[in-house]
Amino acid sequence: MASNVIQIQKSELESVFNELGLSAVNSGTCGKEWKKADPKAEKLTSYNPATGEALADVICSTEEDYEKVTQEAQEAFKEWRKLPAPKRGEIIRQLGEAYREHKEALGKLHSLEVGKITSEGLGEVQEVIDICDFATGLSRQLYGLTMHSERPEHRMYEQWHPLGVVGIITAFNFPSAVWAWNSAIAAVCGNTMVWKPSEKATLTAIAMQRIAHRVLEQHGMTGVMGLVISKDKSLGEKMAADKRMPLISATGSVPMGREVGQVVAKRFGKSLLELGGNNAIIVMDDADLDLAIRGIAFGAVGTAGQRCTTTRRVFVHKKVQKELVDKLVAAYKTIPIGNPMDNGTLMGPLIDEGSVQAYEKTVAEAQKQGGKLLTGGKRVDLGGGSFVEPTIIEVSKPLDIMQHETFAPILYICPIDSIEQGIDFQNDVPQGLSSAVFTEGMKNAEQFLSAWGSDCGIANVNIGTSGAEIGGAFGGEKETGGGRESGSDSWKAYMRRQTCTLNYGKSLPLAQGVEFL
Ligand code: UN1
């Protein structure tokens, strides 16, 4: 179900831009200060994927800009690390408040620039606010363990110190939340940072940075969060090789992560990689099918299939296959596609033409390999923009193409005989981010969650694969990269551990009973 030619009200665009301080030409470089936008410098245009129209221009950062922003982050680190962690937490609390104030406008900007439907645009800003709240609390909980020393009158404990300048590379699909997961936590841990956002989501990055800069300015702490923007991967490559950045946190494709990870490892830096997913839902014969259908639909169609947690494969027990497939196909046909800012739209556009082509290629290849197209499979013409139909392809056994992640709403459905077969099929891909089972049975659920169950970083029961809360550690295994961001004890990736032993006695006993001098 598609709506007509999309028109974005000019006044709407203007009000978002006014509130967030955006204009026709925007500077993409911010360190201690915002660099002035020189309209003659190299530009990058930000497009609205729902209409194909240009939204605004962004001035790219040069290599000198990168140098300056990085040096300023290094300088800022010297002060920032001295501030007690709860004081840093207080600044992040104020940052969360500032995002709260602008939630509506920021949500709309996500819709305009990356095509998120209204509730998902707002949801992403909420994720930013939530992680700021989390980081504020965390600033009083950067706990280290204490140990009992084997030596008399000795004390042993561990403490955590910040790393320095953290390089943050983010993707277009979560243009603010993934930055916030990294930056809010890195900041309370005492780090400063340089952010290189996706070249497809630059305005959102600039708006986020403007607000952060304003809050930091009130505390004389600009330089803690820096921004550079480039058209291509050149600055990302520089960051990976930059010894001044002890940690690179990168979100994006597997090939990107493979490159970044190797370059960072070569210089003994740390990397935190959050890469591709190929997430599956297993539906057992005892599942609540209505629940399963809602979980699958949101997981597979939400964000137009452009989440790293998107549901891409369903393994359904053959006893309930027909019922599930019939109901799901019927539900897919009612999904309103169109202007992401219209009330009622559930699916917006893909990010660009390249994604539409990848979608078409995958749909054709899946059919060539024996998949049966049940619904969707075509581009949707709304007079501009990158729209496609949400698609279901039924297969009798896993196809080769199902090993790959295509960032589009394509869902494969495959029958299984047992929970064991579902788990085998699910795990038999190179990626390991998110997974789920729908079942009313304790045995199925526990098998799925056992050590011989799902091999993913996220495993859910009666919940889809996407839409994780910030409180848990987010990330996955295998080609997903192994990094963990956001909640739980993910903060440890942004700090260095120091083991300290103190002797308060008058002798110098050696460990392991060694005698010397
Ligand atoms: C991503 O797609 O990179 O769990 C992040 C989710 C969101 C985050 C997705 N909270 O779907």
Side-chain angles (χ1 to χ4, degrees), residues 126-425:
Q126 188 58 47
E127 197 158 342
V128 172
I129 294 165
D130 289 346
I131 198 74
C132 288
D133 288 352
F134 180 91
T136 303
L138 180 68
S139 69
R140 291 182 185 267
Q141 299 173 74
L142 301 169
Y143 302 136
L145 298 170
T146 62
M147 300 90 190
H148 284 266
S149 171
E150 67 186 60
R151 289 168 280 185
E153 297 180 307
H154 278 56
R155 184 162 77 84
M156 191 156 59
Y157 70 101
E158 60 186 24
Q159 58 181 357
W160 295 84
H161 288 313
L163 294 170
V165 182
V166 176
I168 304 171
I169 299 172
T170 56
F172 79 85
N173 65 330
F174 272 80
S176 63
V178 173
W179 168 72
W181 291 351
N182 283 282
S183 61
I185 305 285
V188 297
C189 290
N191 303 287
T192 58
M193 63 217 73
V194 177
W195 178 20
K196 192 204 87 66
S198 161
E199 66 283 2
K200 295 174 189 172
T202 52
L203 293 180
T204 306
I206 290 171
M208 296 302 290
Q209 176 74 22
R210 275 190 180 282
I211 293 169
H213 193 75
R214 215 177 298 144
V215 172
L216 291 166
E217 207 164 30
Q218 285 161 12
H219 299 276
M221 283 291 175
T222 59
V224 167
M225 293 180 181
L227 175 74
V228 290
I229 283 174
S230 70
K231 258 194 160 122
D232 50 31
K233 54 185 191 174
S234 59
L235 292 187
E237 281 170 352
K238 260 181 128 21
M239 284 166 107
D242 197 329
K243 285 196 177 136
R244 294 168 298 181
M245 295 187 186
L247 171 67
I248 300 292
S249 173
T251 305
S253 69
V254 171
M256 179 280 293
R258 192 169 274 129
E259 269 179 53
V260 168
Q262 284 180 20
V263 176
V264 175
K266 222 173 190 164
R267 62 173 172 90
F268 296 104
K270 297 175 200 251
S271 53
L272 201 170
L273 301 175
E274 201 254 283
L275 311 174
N278 192 354
N279 318 296
I281 293 182
I282 298 172
V283 182
M284 291 308 295
D285 50 347
D286 62 355
D288 176 335
L289 286 191
D290 290 332
L291 217 63
I293 284 161
R294 289 176 55 204
I296 295 168
F298 176 61
V301 181
T303 328
Q306 300 172 108
R307 291 191 186 215
C308 54
T309 50
T310 290
T311 308
R312 308 208 178 275
R313 301 173 296 143
V314 164
F315 296 110
V316 56
H317 197 285
K318 58 184 184 205
K319 279 194 198 149
V320 291
Q321 180 181 5
K322 185 165 169 9
E323 189 183 347
L324 181 92
V325 167
D326 288 350
K327 285 188 172 163
L328 202 58
V329 168
Y332 262 53
K333 291 195 168 143
T334 66
I335 287 173
I337 307 167
N339 182 352
M341 299 209 291
D342 278 353
N343 259 343
T345 299
L346 290 182
M347 202 180 103
L350 292 182
I351 189 69
D352 59 14
E353 183 56 29
S355 295
V356 176
Q357 282 169 14
Y359 162 89
E360 285 175 328
K361 218 172 120 192
T362 303
V363 171
E365 181 56 30
Q367 291 180 86
K368 223 166 96 189
Q369 291 183 13
K372 186 170 152 209
L373 183 64
L374 296 185
T375 183
K378 289 193 302 296
R379 170 195 283 274
V380 177
D381 184 6
L382 296 181
S386 313
F387 293 91
V388 297
E389 292 172 336
T391 300
I392 299 179
I393 294 172
E394 196 174 36
V395 301
S396 54
K397 59 177 189 355
L399 309 176
D400 288 347
I401 190 128
M402 291 163 65
Q403 296 284 309
H404 305 281
E405 176 192 44
T406 303
F407 235 48
I410 302 171
L411 181 70
Y412 302 99
I413 301 192
C414 176
I416 49 168
D417 293 319
S418 61
I419 184 77
E420 289 82 5
Q421 189 179 33
I423 292 169
D424 280 352
F425 283 171

